[in-house]
């Protein structure tokens, strides 16, 4: 195989991977994700690869050909042409690593040649070049959004990859002339005591001007990540782990206060990825967050109006109809539907819930994991009245 591409794993090596790693199509909250290239040398200690049994996979390798991967993607029961938001290489590698980028473009160009108009999220902290921008701009149908991951963490034990690399990539991509793709300053993970000083917040406020919008979010601190921190003597950010991202209340308040002081007309700040992605393409939020009013208080007025017009509360029969083709939703029970969200029971995992949420553009919540007021979709850690 050419050095421009990554090695193809033998079938027996693929079969030996952890079960979750072998499943190359997975639904995540911001979109249906394709991950047939796995392995990353960037070494971020908090990487989600820990939870897939892939932390030691530092050399990117392919589990199958790009053509086979795309066919699995578009034939998946969760895939809906022009509708399902998509992601690529956001779980176990970086799409713009040397070698990986050719696979990225093979996937994007294949999907685009099918005249698909789906959202396509590409998340990176690697080095981009002018030819990357030109190839992205040549895509005529997909709604491509580049999300540039930046944390400002200075501790090289936790984040060894130089932050200036992604800053340079974001500036290059945003400055590219007459571009069709959009850019987002993906400010994450924010961790108290690590990258939340006044200087860190001021720097982020400046950098946010080099993208079409900004999203801020916290840290996934799962058991596997905590175990790695302890085993390697890294400073533990929290005393507890959580299934959701941790964004303490005081940190959010400081972020909102600092960004409120930016010049008039600065690109907007969002709490949720899908809100920002939808905004930069001039569309209502595909995750249907509008019903969760406390998320919308920082949104531009025009965006809020657009989301309000698109907001439709489904009935319980409509929810069951949307789930009818999913075997894993056979035992789903709708317990409540309000203007904010539909609450369901009986789904075996998050994936069918995300499918329904995107199909209906309306929030679908699992009764076993309630969404609390004001910290919607975040961990209770760092919030007052955590059970309220």
């Amino acid at each position: 195989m050419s050095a421009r591409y990554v090695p193809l794993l033998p079938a027996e090596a693929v079969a030996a991977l952890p079960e979750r790693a072998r499943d190359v199509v997975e639904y995540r909250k911001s979109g249906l994700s394709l991950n047939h290239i796995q392995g990353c040398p960037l070494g971020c200690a908090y990487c989600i690869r820990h939870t897939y049994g892939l932390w030691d996979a530092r050399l990117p390798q392919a589990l199958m050909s790009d053509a086979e991967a795309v066919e699995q993607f578009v034939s998946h029961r969760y895939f809906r042409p022009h509708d399902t938001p998509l992601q690529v290489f956001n779980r176990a590698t970086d799409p713009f690593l040397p070698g990986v980028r050719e696979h990225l473009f093979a996937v994007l160009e294949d999907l685009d040649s099918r005249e698909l108009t789906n959202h396509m999220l590409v998340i990176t902290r690697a080095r981009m070049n002018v030819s990357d921008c030109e190839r992205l701009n040549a895509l005529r149908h997909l709604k491509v959004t580049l999300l540039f991951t930046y944390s400002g963490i200075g501790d090289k034990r936790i984040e060894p990859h130089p932050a200036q690399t992604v800053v340079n990539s974001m500036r290059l991509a945003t400055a590219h002339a007459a571009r069709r793709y959009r850019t987002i300053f993906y400010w994450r993970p924010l961790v108290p005591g690590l990258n939340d000083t006044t200087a860190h917040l001021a720097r982020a406020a400046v950098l946010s001007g080099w993208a079409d919008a900004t999203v801020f979010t916290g840290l996934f601190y799962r058991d596997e990540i905590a175990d790695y921190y302890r085993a390697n003597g890294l400073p533990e950010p929290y005393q507890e782990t959580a299934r959701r991202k941790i964004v303490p209340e005081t940190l959010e308040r400081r972020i909102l206060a600092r960004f409120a002081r930016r010049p008039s007309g600065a690109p907007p700040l969002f709490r949720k990825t899908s809100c920002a992605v939808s905004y930069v393409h001039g569309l209502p939020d595909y995750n249907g967050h509008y019903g969760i009013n406390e998320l919308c208080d920082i949104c531009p007025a025009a965006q809020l109006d657009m989301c309000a017009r698109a907001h439709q509360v489904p009935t319980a029969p409509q929810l069951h109809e949307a789930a009818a083709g999913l075997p894993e939703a056979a035992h789903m029970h709708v317990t409540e539907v309000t203007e904010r969200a539909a609450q369901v029971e009986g789904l075996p995992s998050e994936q069918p819930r995300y499918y329904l949420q995107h199909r209906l553009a309306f929030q679908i919540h699992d009764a076993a994991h309630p969404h609390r007021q004001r910290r919607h979709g975040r961990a209770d850690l760092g919030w007052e009245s955590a059970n309220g």
Side-chain angles (χ1 to χ4, degrees):
M1 181 175 289
S2 166
R4 297 173 63 200
Y5 295 87
V6 306
L8 182 65
L9 276 176
E12 59 271 20
V14 174
L17 289 171
E19 182 179 358
R20 289 187 69 198
R22 296 196 304 270
D23 191 359
V24 301
V25 180
E26 179 189 44
Y27 223 137
R28 309 191 75 186
K29 184 168 185 275
S30 294
L32 190 64
S33 181
L34 180 63
N35 294 280
H36 64 288
I37 309 295
Q38 301 182 0
C40 181
L42 300 184
C44 304
Y46 49 78
C47 183
I48 199 68
R49 283 185 296 129
H50 287 289
T51 67
Y52 291 89
L54 291 171
W55 172 248
D56 293 327
R58 301 301 176 93
L59 175 68
Q61 296 178 304
L63 277 62
M64 61 186 67
S65 70
D66 299 319
E68 183 182 354
V70 171
E71 284 303 319
Q72 283 199 22
F73 206 30
V74 300
S75 62
H76 198 279
R77 64 187 181 282
Y78 291 147
F79 180 87
R80 291 169 57 82
H82 314 296
D83 185 32
T84 307
L86 308 175
Q87 300 173 308
V88 61
F89 302 153
N90 68 318
R91 189 182 76 184
T93 193
D94 189 294
F96 284 100
L97 288 173
V100 179
R101 65 171 17 98
E102 290 303 321
H103 297 275
L104 168 70
F105 282 111
V107 169
L108 295 182
E109 289 162 2
D110 187 335
L111 294 171
D112 197 68
S113 72
R114 301 167 189 248
E115 299 188 1
L116 294 167
T117 60
N118 303 63
H119 279 292
M120 172 57 77
L121 284 66
V122 181
I123 304 170
T124 186
R125 62 172 73 226
R127 178 175 288 107
M128 290 183 60
N129 55 51
V130 172
S131 65
D132 293 329
C133 300
E134 292 171 345
R135 291 181 74 176
L136 288 168
N137 219 29
L139 301 172
R140 308 312 302 168
H141 304 285
L142 292 172
K143 292 186 281 290
V144 176
T145 306
L146 300 176
L147 297 101
F148 293 95
T149 298
Y150 170 91
S151 72
I153 293 174
D155 189 334
K156 297 303 180 184
R157 297 173 300 168
I158 296 173
E159 191 175 295
H161 188 63
Q164 192 59 42
T165 299
V166 70
V167 171
N168 292 343
S169 293
M170 180 172 67
R171 294 181 67 167
L172 173 73
T174 302
H176 191 74
R179 56 186 169 85
R180 295 186 68 254
Y181 61 84
R182 299 293 182 260
T183 62
I184 288 177
F185 177 48
Y186 215 16
W187 188 19
R188 65 171 195 168
L190 282 154
V191 184
L194 194 59
N195 61 343
D196 69 332
T197 67
T198 300
H200 281 107
L201 270 56
R203 173 66 171 157
V206 172
L207 293 176
S208 70
W210 286 97
D212 298 323
T214 294
V215 176
F216 72 95
T217 192
L219 176 70
F220 267 132
Y221 196 51
R222 301 283 178 81
D223 291 342
E224 299 90 341
I225 299 172
D227 290 343
Y228 177 82
Y229 272 54
R230 294 181 193 119
N232 289 274
L234 299 177
E236 296 178 50
Y238 301 102
Q239 297 303 307
E240 304 174 57
T241 58
R243 65 181 295 276
R244 291 173 172 155
K245 290 179 182 176
I246 305 170
V247 184
E249 182 177 16
T250 54
L251 176 55
E252 174 171 299
R253 287 176 177 172
R254 292 178 57 223
I255 289 167
L256 298 184
R258 179 59 188 84
F259 269 62
R261 301 202 303 270
R262 292 182 302 163
S264 176
L269 176 71
F270 294 92
R271 292 181 174 96
K272 297 294 182 180
T273 301
S274 64
C275 296
V277 169
S278 301
Y279 164 80
V280 297
H281 288 279
L283 295 168
D285 174 35
Y286 61 78
N287 253 321
H289 285 113
Y290 174 78
I292 316 298
N293 297 328
E294 63 270 21
L295 288 176
C296 305
D297 60 0
I298 60 174
C299 296
Q303 184 68 16
L304 196 58
D305 289 343
M306 185 187 304
C307 290
R309 292 193 299 271
H311 186 65
Q312 294 185 358
V313 180
T315 64
Q318 286 173 328
L319 281 160
H320 284 291
E321 181 182 357
L326 304 180
E328 62 270 46
H331 301 292
M332 184 184 78
H333 175 58
V334 180
T335 62
E336 183 182 34
V337 180
T338 71
E339 285 286 330
R340 289 172 66 87
Q343 186 167 268
V344 301
E345 295 176 337
L347 294 178
S349 71
E350 301 277 35
Q351 296 196 60
R353 183 170 70 84
Y354 296 151
Y355 168 84
L356 293 173
Q357 193 159 277
H358 294 155
R359 180 162 181 178
L360 298 167
F362 189 79
Q363 284 284 290
I364 312 294
H365 297 170
D366 188 329
H369 304 289
H371 288 66
R372 307 295 188 187
Q373 185 79 15
R374 294 192 303 126
R375 53 195 174 277
H376 171 79
R378 296 170 176 170
D380 288 339
L381 293 175
W383 288 79
E384 297 177 4
S385 305
N387 295 319

